[in-house]
Amino acid sequence: SPRIILGSAAAALIIASIILSLAFFKKDQSYIFLTSQKNRFDLNFSIKKTDQDNFQKILASLGIPQEVKDGVNFELDSTSSARLNFLTPVKTNLTLKDKVINFSGETSVPLISNQPTVEQIKVPNSTNVAIFAPDLKSFVKARLNLAENISAWIDKNFSGQNGSYLVIYGLNPDYSLLVRKDQINFDELKNLKDTNGDTLYKEEASGDVKLHFLQIPNINSDKQQTLTFFQLDEYQVMSSSPDAAKSLIDAQKSSPSHKFPKGDSPKQAALIIEFSNPDENIISDQAESFLLQPWERPNSPKAKLASSLKQIRDASFALKERSFSGLINLK
């Protein structure tokens, strides 16, 4: 599912196996193989002898038990199970080096029909996660405490056929959702009210950019969160706060920034993920929680995945119509 994909940059090699159909086999190649039986799934690793040492070191670095190499079985909800059953068996080829995981594959049938054109954008230097996909608004909305009228306005104004970007940066975490679209209806935004009939909207200028503010309840506390909307060149943007909006605006001008996606990324894709976690800009616990959604138990799969994220220096994943590839560099 999209949430699994977007919340699992650290486990991209497993996610690639789960969402894609059978890849072409190569001789003398380490790989991951996924099979299914009713609503249960088995994930098995076939690691060639020369890769065994590197594979064990990688598991140890990520805090994953060594027993995983003997295989993993799991269950999903009924809807996800039905989709995954249709795709299995699934195979992902692996190339393992010291602290490096390279994986790729090809599909026997096209699975992704919507592949928007990917344009590079400038993002803050503090960016930990950047994602490109056809539609990311549902992922963001699931992490917000939205009234029905606000949710409907976002659905109406942040839908498009040209792709969307989600950029996560800073400690709070700050984030921005960008959609390539000519205009959105700010007049309707001004008229949104809360349950008491009070106005939620205000605006101010930041240089030559007009910022539109909307107060909503914070999902994790009693405080208010100020969603910030604005136009940035050909993109309409929703940021998590005024400061998040200003950081993205500054990255277009004077502040240090870098481009997403990188220059070697495909020009058309259904999904691109880039994850960055250098020692000078370690991903925050809040950012991990935003990605994976809060977990209740310290030993839950999501909590373990969050722990593994800390051990990754950088990672990338690209999904096209008939192929996928990824790279993970460990610390």
Side-chain angles (χ1 to χ4, degrees):
S1 72
R3 289 189 188 179
I4 290 175
I5 295 172
L6 299 179
S8 302
L13 76 164
I14 295 177
I15 298 307
S17 299
I18 292 177
I19 63 171
L20 297 168
S21 69
L22 181 63
F24 297 111
F25 283 78
K26 296 181 180 179
K27 293 182 179 180
D28 194 28
Q29 174 75 59
S30 295
Y31 61 87
I32 304 173
F33 197 59
L34 179 73
T35 57
S36 65
Q37 186 175 6
K38 295 184 179 179
N39 291 329
R40 292 189 62 83
F41 300 90
D42 294 306
L43 193 66
N44 293 294
F45 297 85
S46 178
I47 308 300
K48 64 181 183 179
K49 188 174 181 179
T50 54
D51 284 339
Q52 287 288 342
D53 286 345
N54 282 331
F55 184 58
Q56 292 177 16
K57 290 177 182 178
I58 287 169
L59 292 178
S61 296
L62 292 172
I64 298 174
Q66 293 292 323
E67 306 88 77
V68 164
K69 63 179 180 290
D70 297 325
V72 177
N73 58 73
F74 59 93
E75 296 181 359
L76 298 174
D77 62 86
S78 57
T79 301
S80 299
S81 291
R83 292 174 178 173
L84 188 53
N85 266 316
F86 176 75
L87 300 179
T88 54
V90 179
K91 178 173 177 275
T92 299
N93 296 312
L94 298 174
T95 300
L96 305 175
K97 298 180 181 179
D98 184 29
K99 296 187 176 182
V100 178
I101 307 166
N102 214 317
F103 60 97
S104 63
E106 298 178 354
T107 63
S108 57
V109 294
L111 297 178
I112 305 297
S113 58
N114 187 6
Q115 288 197 115
T117 299
V118 185
E119 301 286 349
Q120 283 189 324
I121 62 172
K122 286 185 177 181
V123 300
N125 260 7
S126 61
T127 298
N128 290 118
V129 182
I131 303 165
F132 172 85
D135 190 353
L136 290 163
K137 68 177 183 300
S138 295
F139 179 82
V140 175
K141 282 174 52 183
R143 286 143 178 83
L144 297 171
N145 190 2
L146 297 177
E148 185 175 344
N149 59 343
I150 299 174
S151 177
W153 183 86
I154 292 174
D155 285 341
K156 180 179 179 181
N157 289 278
F158 277 82
S159 295
Q161 301 299 316
N162 298 317
S164 60
Y165 302 78
L166 177 62
V167 188
I168 302 172
Y169 47 97
L171 297 175
N172 291 322
D174 292 328
Y175 62 85
S176 292
L177 172 69
L178 297 85
V179 177
R180 199 178 303 133
K181 199 170 186 179
D182 292 335
Q183 60 183 4
I184 60 178
N185 194 330
F186 287 116
D187 289 333
E188 287 184 359
L189 185 68
K190 295 177 183 179
N191 295 324
L192 294 178
K193 311 285 185 181
D194 64 15
T195 54
N196 297 320
D198 296 327
T199 300
L200 301 168
Y201 173 90
K202 66 177 183 177
E203 65 182 54
E204 73 174 39
S206 177
D208 56 355
V209 178
K210 181 179 286 187
L211 302 179
H212 305 261
F213 303 138
L214 194 70
Q215 294 283 343
I216 65 167
N218 192 305
I219 198 169
N220 294 319
S221 70
D222 296 331
K223 298 180 180 179
Q224 294 286 313
Q225 179 177 355
T226 305
L227 294 180
T228 305
F229 303 88
F230 60 100
Q231 184 167 347
L232 189 65
D233 297 327
E234 69 268 35
Y235 296 96
Q236 302 297 336
V237 185
M238 178 175 72
S239 295
S240 55
S241 69
D243 286 343
K246 291 172 183 177
S247 293
L248 185 65
I249 293 170
D250 288 345
Q252 315 307 307
K253 302 175 182 178
S254 58
S255 294
S257 63
H258 64 268
K259 291 184 178 181
F260 167 77
K262 297 175 182 177
D264 56 354
S265 296
K267 301 303 180 184
Q268 285 189 311
L271 177 67
I272 295 176
I273 301 173
E274 290 181 6
F275 174 80
S276 177
N277 183 40
D279 291 339
E280 62 273 18
N281 182 37
I282 295 175
I283 188 170
S284 67
D285 293 340
Q286 293 88 339
E288 289 176 343
S289 180
F290 178 81
L291 275 173
L292 305 176
Q293 293 192 318
W295 46 84
E296 296 179 359
R297 304 184 313 278
N299 291 323
S300 69
K302 286 184 178 180
K304 292 178 180 178
L305 179 55
S307 178
S308 295
L309 278 175
K310 289 287 199 300
Q311 309 307 317
I312 295 175
R313 189 180 75 237
D314 57 73
S316 61
F317 175 74
L319 170 64
K320 299 179 67 177
E321 183 182 23
R322 288 181 176 267
S323 64
F324 63 96
S325 61
L327 175 67
I328 299 174
N329 290 303
L330 304 180
K331 290 187 174 182

